[in-house]
Amino acid sequence: MEASPALSRIGLAGLAVMGQNLALNIAEKGFPISVYNRTISKVDETIDRAQNEGQLPLTGHYNPKDFVLSLKKPRSVIILVKAGAPVDQTIEALAAHMEPGDTIIDGGNEWYENTERRIVEAKKNGLLYLGMGVSGGEEGARNGPSLMPGGSQQAYGNVQDIMEKVAAQVEDGPCVTYIGEGGSGNFVKMVHNGIEYGDMQLISEAYDVLKNVGGLSNAELADIFDEWNRGELESFLIEITADIFKVKDEETGEGELVDKVLDKTGMKGTGKWTVQQAAELSVAVPTIAASLDGRFLSGLKDEREAASEVYSGIGGVTSSVDKKRLIDDVRQALYASKICSYAQGMNLLRAKSDVKGWNLNFGELARIWKGGCIIRAVFLDRIKIAYQRNPNLASLLVDPDFAREMVQREKAWRRVVGLAIAAGVSTPGMCASLSYFDTYRRARLPANLVQAQRDLFGAHTYERVDRPGAFHTEWTKLARKSGSRVAALK
């Protein structure tokens, strides 16, 4: 009698690029894994890769029942399929063969409320559920991503040893931690992506200023970004940007490929969700919002080309630019702008955590973003330290270390934004960050006038700086009485 094959420690359903790579990563770390996909060829492809990449302990299955029954109890299954209805369909197919105590882990970019709904539905069948953000793209999935699991803590406990081995490793531990209850893992990943939008927009603006105001070549830009990646800006996005400038256009054999790429940016929704959530929670995220607007405007390619003809005489550098100084100023402006973007993201996480009772650990979030993910950057270690020093920090902008750095970079920041405005080169992210900084650091804003206007036309009342209570004034009547010329409202 043949011995039955050994059961796998974990399963993964959904074998597009991310799913395949994460499955191979798990197998490579020594955890036997079963894989399943509705398209049979994807299963075969993954089995072949597992054999070719070192006879990894991976077995393929061609129907949900065989797949589920190949797993050790309590079973844990990772789903990596397109967010929305496909996740519900996959859960339905797998849950039919699962038992109470088994776990479903959704590793997609899912809307957090969908995860919270699925947690409730799974519980009715005795199943545990995790919504787990996975960042790092295909390379991260294969070699070590940043993982953000939220939902059932018991479910996380069942797979913690696997996740800690599979995640990216940094000097202070694996880039995974239990985030919190409900849809917190998905929400944290969403905000991570919003910060990523801001980062990418700011880097593109730095490139635009250096190229179109400073007149730098792609070769010079590659050297500059390489140099920046050895200092305070060291990060995944700065590193890959330097690489992009070095790639020649093999199609034509002329120049660099970056200049041939159409200037229209795509998106998958997480940046939009971040801005929508910020509006819902009354949290200002102007840098992230500016990056989203930048993507919207990039899509208007034909309109922009027509408008460039209408306004062909506007802008242009009026005087010679000191390249060396500009390069250093842009470095400082980029750094200060990025701190504002991260501060906005962390403030949004705090607001949601307070509303939902998630008790998010912001120092831990910064730590697990230090490796594997798209926004990994050297200064995340200092963000971690800032929140460890003061878990109730109101904003990164008032942390003593970051505040000192903002002051040191403020003049360079203003020079870059001023020069860009004079040249007609748009820097919406840097401008939004600078305006955020200038607004946040002011003890008194012109909001007093806005509130007075609201009271005049809508009797919304106002508070006073010198005594408590709500007040209403007949502004128009008093203005006319005093002889002021206030136009009659129509």
Side-chain angles (χ1 to χ4, degrees):
M1 182 177 171
E2 277 189 25
S4 60
L7 296 175
S8 294
R9 175 67 199 282
I10 193 167
L12 190 146
L15 297 173
V17 177
M18 284 289 287
Q20 282 192 24
N21 283 349
L22 187 59
L24 293 168
N25 182 355
I26 292 169
E28 190 174 61
K29 298 303 187 295
F31 299 102
I33 183 169
S34 296
V35 299
Y36 163 71
N37 198 85
R38 283 195 311 172
T39 307
I40 288 173
S41 61
K42 290 286 185 188
V43 178
D44 292 336
E45 192 181 304
T46 310
I47 294 170
D48 288 344
R49 284 188 64 189
Q51 292 303 304
N52 295 335
E53 295 182 26
Q55 302 281 317
L56 301 177
L58 179 148
T59 55
H61 301 271
Y62 300 96
N63 64 69
K65 184 178 181 182
D66 289 350
F67 169 64
V68 171
L69 295 180
S70 73
L71 305 175
K72 280 183 185 174
K73 297 180 184 179
R75 306 179 182 97
S76 296
V77 176
I78 300 170
I79 296 174
L80 268 170
V81 298
K82 191 176 178 183
V87 176
D88 290 310
Q89 291 158 10
T90 306
I91 290 171
E92 188 179 358
L94 299 176
H97 310 288
M98 297 177 82
E99 299 173 12
D102 291 350
T103 294
I104 295 169
I105 305 165
D106 176 19
N109 274 335
E110 187 58 271
W111 175 236
Y112 83 99
E113 288 182 338
N114 284 343
T115 294
E116 300 200 327
R117 166 178 61 81
R118 290 174 186 138
I119 288 172
V120 173
E121 290 169 356
K123 197 171 183 180
K124 290 174 186 172
N125 297 317
L127 301 179
L128 308 177
Y129 198 94
L130 283 176
M132 182 172 73
V134 179
S135 181
E138 27 187 293
E139 183 193 333
R142 181 66 185 85
N143 300 309
S146 175
L147 301 172
M148 296 155 249
S152 164
Q153 190 156 13
Q154 183 186 341
Y156 179 64
N158 290 342
V159 294
Q160 184 174 352
D161 60 331
I162 300 175
M163 298 308 166
E164 289 182 349
K165 283 276 186 4
V166 164
Q169 307 293 315
V170 291
E171 74 283 353
D172 49 5
C175 292
V176 60
T177 190
Y178 174 70
I179 301 293
E181 295 180 354
S184 58
N186 295 113
F187 195 92
V188 166
K189 174 59 163 58
M190 178 197 77
V191 175
H192 161 286
N193 285 23
I195 293 170
E196 178 186 312
Y197 272 51
D199 253 4
M200 294 170 77
Q201 176 68 28
L202 292 168
I203 291 169
S204 76
E205 292 173 16
Y207 152 65
D208 202 9
V209 171
L210 291 173
K211 180 180 179 179
N212 291 306
V213 179
L216 275 69
S217 68
N218 289 328
E220 289 174 310
L221 287 165
D223 289 344
I224 289 161
F225 275 81
D226 271 334
E227 185 182 334
W228 286 356
N229 198 46
R230 292 190 289 272
E232 65 190 10
L233 288 171
E234 181 188 333
S235 61
F236 173 71
L237 285 169
I238 295 292
E239 178 187 331
I240 66 168
T241 302
D243 288 343
I244 287 167
F245 291 127
K246 297 169 188 173
V247 176
K248 302 294 182 187
D249 179 22
E250 293 182 351
E251 289 287 323
T252 64
E254 297 176 10
E256 287 77 33
L257 180 57
V258 68
D259 295 327
K260 308 295 194 308
V261 176
L262 184 66
D263 53 324
K264 284 173 71 170
T265 307
M267 68 190 90
K268 289 191 174 177
T270 44
K272 188 191 293 186
W273 291 345
T274 302
V275 175
Q276 287 171 334
Q277 278 294 296
E280 287 283 329
L281 292 160
S282 302
V283 175
V285 293
T287 311
I288 298 170
S291 71
L292 188 64
D293 288 340
R295 295 193 184 199
F296 294 153
L297 284 163
S298 77
L300 306 177
K301 177 66 173 174
D302 293 342
E303 289 182 44
R304 289 188 288 111
E305 287 186 338
S308 73
E309 298 293 328
V310 175
Y311 295 107
S312 59
I314 285 184
V317 183
T318 54
S319 58
S320 61
V321 175
D322 180 338
K323 278 191 182 184
K324 190 173 180 184
R325 183 180 183 181
L326 178 66
I327 292 165
D328 193 58
D329 279 356
V330 170
R331 174 185 60 78
Q332 295 185 63
L334 178 55
Y335 183 85
S337 297
K338 279 164 68 83
I339 295 303
C340 287
S341 186
Y342 279 72
Q344 292 161 30
M346 298 309 259
N347 288 351
L348 175 55
L349 288 171
R350 178 183 297 284
K352 193 67 173 183
S353 180
D354 288 346
V355 168
K356 299 288 286 185
W358 285 337
N359 196 28
L360 296 181
N361 182 327
F362 306 106
E364 265 292 271
L365 297 186
R367 186 191 68 76
I368 67 169
W369 290 344
K370 283 168 58 179
C373 68
I374 305 301
I375 65 170
R376 62 183 181 266
V378 70
F379 67 59
L380 277 161
D381 194 54
R382 299 187 29 252
I383 292 177
K384 179 196 80 170
I385 291 166
Y387 281 109
Q388 284 178 338
R389 188 163 48 221
N390 180 5
N392 298 312
L393 187 65
S395 169
L396 288 174
L397 297 184
V398 293
D399 172 76
D401 286 353
F402 284 119
R404 184 169 57 251
E405 292 188 331
M406 298 299 274
V407 170
Q408 289 167 352
R409 287 155 181 77
E410 176 245 353
K411 286 186 171 57
W413 197 4
R414 295 188 195 284
R415 282 195 296 268
V416 170
V417 168
L419 197 58
I421 289 170
V425 173
S426 61
T427 52
M430 286 187 182
C431 285
S433 282
L434 183 55
S435 293
Y436 179 79
F437 172 71
D438 281 339
T439 304
Y440 189 72
R441 68 178 182 79
R442 294 230 0 233
R444 185 161 173 84
L445 294 170
N448 57 314
L449 179 58
V450 175
Q451 194 59 23
Q453 291 169 334
R454 295 182 74 242
D455 187 50
L456 185 152
F457 66 66
H460 292 292
T461 75
Y462 59 91
E463 295 175 272
R464 292 179 60 105
V465 296
D466 55 354
R467 63 196 68 175
F471 298 86
H472 170 60
T473 295
E474 297 288 341
W475 297 88
T476 305
K477 188 188 295 183
L478 290 175
R480 286 174 180 164
K481 190 176 176 182
S482 67
S484 299
R485 295 180 180 179
V486 177
L489 294 176
K490 295 182 180 178

